[in-house]
Amino acid sequence: MLTDIQAVVFDLDGTLLDRRRSFERFVRAQWERFAHVLRLVDQERYVQTLIVLDGDGYGPRKELFTGMVAQCELPSGLAEILLNDYRAGFPSACLLFPDAAQTLSSLRESGLKLGLITNGSVRMQSRKLECLALVPMFDTILIADAEGISKPDRQIFHRALERLKTLPARAAFVGDHPDTDVAGARAAGMQVVWRRDPTVSRRVEADAVIEELGDLHSLLVGAKRLDRLTP
């Protein structure tokens, strides 16, 4: 049960941004753009190899294409070309979950403060936010690379809350990763909403669980109204 919420802080990849769909979309298009040099590798093999190496964005970036080139027996020099293409083009291929923008708008309209914490490089994450038109939606945005600390370190959660002028107990964090997001935010003293990842089978300790972002409005705004009515 969520209570007395003043602010909501979000994760980006896998929570607001449909990263799995975005990454597959990008690498399929990349294979087509580079078909003149990749034609010896079946498109489906190319895509699935990169999805595995990517590890939902947690795999080392420098090893993403070197690993693919090695597995598919392609010229080693191709790895750097494909990596540069990824860095330049992936942000514009990114897609929000269908209900993300409306959910953020409705939460802002209800008077909640909104923040975002994302791990990753400033170059990549800031371009994603720009391409997705998310920057104006938030009162504060923290990119781990710029902050010098990353999730699950509780300090980055506390830093976001300081900028939102909100105590941890009066803030909710919404994320999809059981350790980086859920455990990190709980350690920081926040209330936590887990956006369920269907690939995770283990029990995740959260204050609430949602299947879709649209579920947040009734969960958070309803709790806020209830707090106002409670004597």
Side-chain angles (χ1 to χ4, degrees), residues 68-145:
M68 183 281 300
V69 162
Q71 288 189 37
C72 296
E73 300 180 336
L74 293 167
S76 59
L78 190 56
E80 186 174 357
I81 295 170
L82 294 171
L83 177 60
N84 288 338
D85 179 69
Y86 166 79
R87 287 171 170 164
F90 182 54
S92 60
C94 286
L95 302 166
L96 290 173
F97 284 104
D99 50 358
Q102 180 56 45
T103 298
L104 293 172
S105 295
S106 68
L107 294 178
R108 282 187 70 86
E109 288 168 6
S110 74
L112 289 165
K113 301 174 185 176
L114 299 184
L116 183 141
I117 305 173
T118 178
N119 287 353
S121 71
V122 170
R123 175 175 56 184
M124 179 62 75
Q125 300 305 86
S126 61
R127 286 205 56 226
K128 286 180 188 175
L129 291 167
E130 290 166 8
C131 290
L132 295 168
L134 285 178
V135 175
M137 307 293 280
F138 294 99
D139 299 295
T140 189
I141 294 173
L142 287 75
I143 300 176
D145 183 31

Side-chain angles (χ1 to χ4, degrees), residues 19-174:
R19 195 184 180 286
R20 286 174 185 156
R21 187 160 65 104
S22 299
F23 185 76
E24 181 172 347
R25 178 190 188 207
F26 173 81
V27 295
R28 285 191 185 281
Q30 186 182 58
W31 185 92
E32 292 170 2
R33 285 196 306 278
F34 287 87
H36 59 290
V37 290
L38 294 173
R39 62 183 179 275
L40 295 178
V41 179
D42 177 75
Q43 185 186 43
E44 198 59 33
R45 182 187 177 198
Y46 182 81
V47 170
Q48 295 306 320
T49 298
L50 283 171
I51 286 173
V52 171
L53 290 169
D54 176 62
D56 282 337
Y58 288 90
R61 297 300 85 188
K62 291 185 177 179
E63 296 175 18
L64 181 58
F65 291 98
T66 56
M68 183 281 300
V69 162
Q71 288 189 37
C72 296
E73 300 180 336
L74 293 167
S76 59
L78 190 56
E80 186 174 357
I81 295 170
L82 294 171
L83 177 60
N84 288 338
D85 179 69
Y86 166 79
R87 287 171 170 164
F90 182 54
S92 60
C94 286
L95 302 166
L96 290 173
F97 284 104
D99 50 358
Q102 180 56 45
T103 298
L104 293 172
S105 295
S106 68
L107 294 178
R108 282 187 70 86
E109 288 168 6
S110 74
L112 289 165
K113 301 174 185 176
L114 299 184
L116 183 141
I117 305 173
T118 178
N119 287 353
S121 71
V122 170
R123 175 175 56 184
M124 179 62 75
Q125 300 305 86
S126 61
R127 286 205 56 226
K128 286 180 188 175
L129 291 167
E130 290 166 8
C131 290
L132 295 168
L134 285 178
V135 175
M137 307 293 280
F138 294 99
D139 299 295
T140 189
I141 294 173
L142 287 75
I143 300 176
D145 183 31
E147 301 296 328
I149 45 175
S150 60
K151 298 178 295 179
D153 191 321
R154 70 184 67 184
Q155 291 183 52
I156 198 165
F157 296 96
H158 288 162
R159 190 173 294 180
L161 296 176
E162 287 169 9
R163 295 177 189 175
L164 292 169
K165 298 180 173 56
T166 305
L167 295 172
R170 301 199 67 185
F173 188 84
V174 183

